[in-house]
Amino acid sequence: MLNNKKLLLASASPRRRELLSKLDADTEIVKLHDVDESYPDDLAPEKVSEYIATLKRDAYDRSMLGDGEVLVTADTVVILDGKVLGKPHSEEEAREMLAMMSGRRHKVVTGVTLTSRDRSVVFSDETLVKFAELTSAEIDYYVERYRPLDKAGAYGIQEWIGYIGIEGIVGCYYNVMGLPLNKLYQHLREL
């Protein structure tokens, strides 16, 4: 369905690998050199994920792309009260993030780049997520058992906390996991 495109996913995320495989495309994982994921302080929170996805794209040597190959890079952030919540640096920070989101709505924004030899597309998708009130025991259980230090906002919607804590979403579920598959597919078809 994607005109024999080969997708090169520049991501260590097992969730992104799993999601991209669902498009039934020929997919290969490629490694990037260390990418400094810092961003300007004055950048709008909704633009941070696109900015970081672009940094990841620029860390790959485009001349190495073959005919029909498309490099895919992505970054996901959680936004609460206009503040970006990235990946927590400690279990304590993970607990703090989850406590802040308890009983409230937040945005999940995933920025994506698709790059062929001669074109590059940058886009993002936004999903609103409503958390139920979480007890400190529930937060502790999740952080200790699932160790969500590799996840923006310190949670995975596809894990235990998502089952018991997410009251609802408006937008793409897969975006919250790390790749807005519908938008990604549409852009790949146009590329």
Side-chain angles (χ1 to χ4, degrees):
M1 297 303 299
L2 294 174
N3 299 323
N4 297 319
K5 289 181 177 76
K6 180 176 183 177
L7 306 181
L8 305 179
L9 177 63
S11 177
S13 166
R15 291 159 300 283
R16 287 197 182 107
R17 289 180 197 166
E18 176 190 354
L19 289 172
L20 202 57
S21 75
K22 303 301 182 192
L23 294 181
D24 290 344
D26 185 12
T27 304
E28 180 181 326
I29 305 303
V30 296
K31 291 190 78 83
L32 296 177
H33 300 292
D34 289 334
V35 176
D36 177 5
E37 295 187 15
S38 56
Y39 53 89
D41 291 337
D42 61 346
L43 189 62
E46 289 78 11
K47 292 294 182 186
V48 168
S49 61
E50 283 184 10
Y51 181 87
I52 295 173
T54 301
L55 291 175
K56 292 175 183 179
R57 176 200 67 196
D58 294 346
Y60 190 83
D61 182 358
R62 199 184 277 196
S63 69
M64 294 181 62
L65 290 171
D67 288 336
E69 291 184 334
V70 177
L71 177 70
V72 179
T73 65
D75 190 73
T76 302
V77 297
V78 168
I79 302 170
L80 179 68
D81 296 332
K83 179 182 175 191
V84 173
L85 303 180
K87 297 172 186 171
H89 296 99
S90 67
E91 289 186 3
E92 186 55 38
E93 188 178 11
R95 286 182 182 90
E96 290 170 7
M97 287 181 182
L98 291 168
M100 286 189 305
M101 291 185 289
S102 176
R104 302 183 62 205
R105 283 183 170 74
H106 63 271
K107 288 188 231 182
V108 177
V109 182
T110 300
V112 180
T113 72
L114 302 175
T115 306
S116 65
R117 269 189 174 165
D118 56 350
R119 286 186 61 203
S120 188
V121 177
V122 180
F123 65 94
S124 60
D125 199 16
E126 183 176 298
T127 304
L128 295 175
V129 180
K130 171 69 167 77
F131 258 113
E133 290 285 344
L134 301 172
T135 67
S136 58
E138 290 166 336
I139 291 171
D140 287 344
Y141 175 84
Y142 176 68
V143 171
E144 290 167 13
R145 182 142 187 183
Y146 290 87
R147 309 188 64 73
L149 301 183
D150 64 335
K151 296 171 181 68
Y155 78 93
I157 194 170
Q158 73 282 2
E159 295 177 338
W160 181 83
I161 198 82
Y163 308 144
I164 66 99
I166 303 294
E167 288 185 345
I169 68 170
V170 177
C172 177
Y173 172 85
Y174 302 108
N175 183 56
V176 182
M177 285 181 67
L179 275 179
L181 288 180
N182 179 269
K183 270 192 173 181
L184 177 67
Y185 179 74
Q186 298 307 322
H187 282 286
L188 281 169
R189 284 180 48 198
E190 295 168 7
L191 193 64

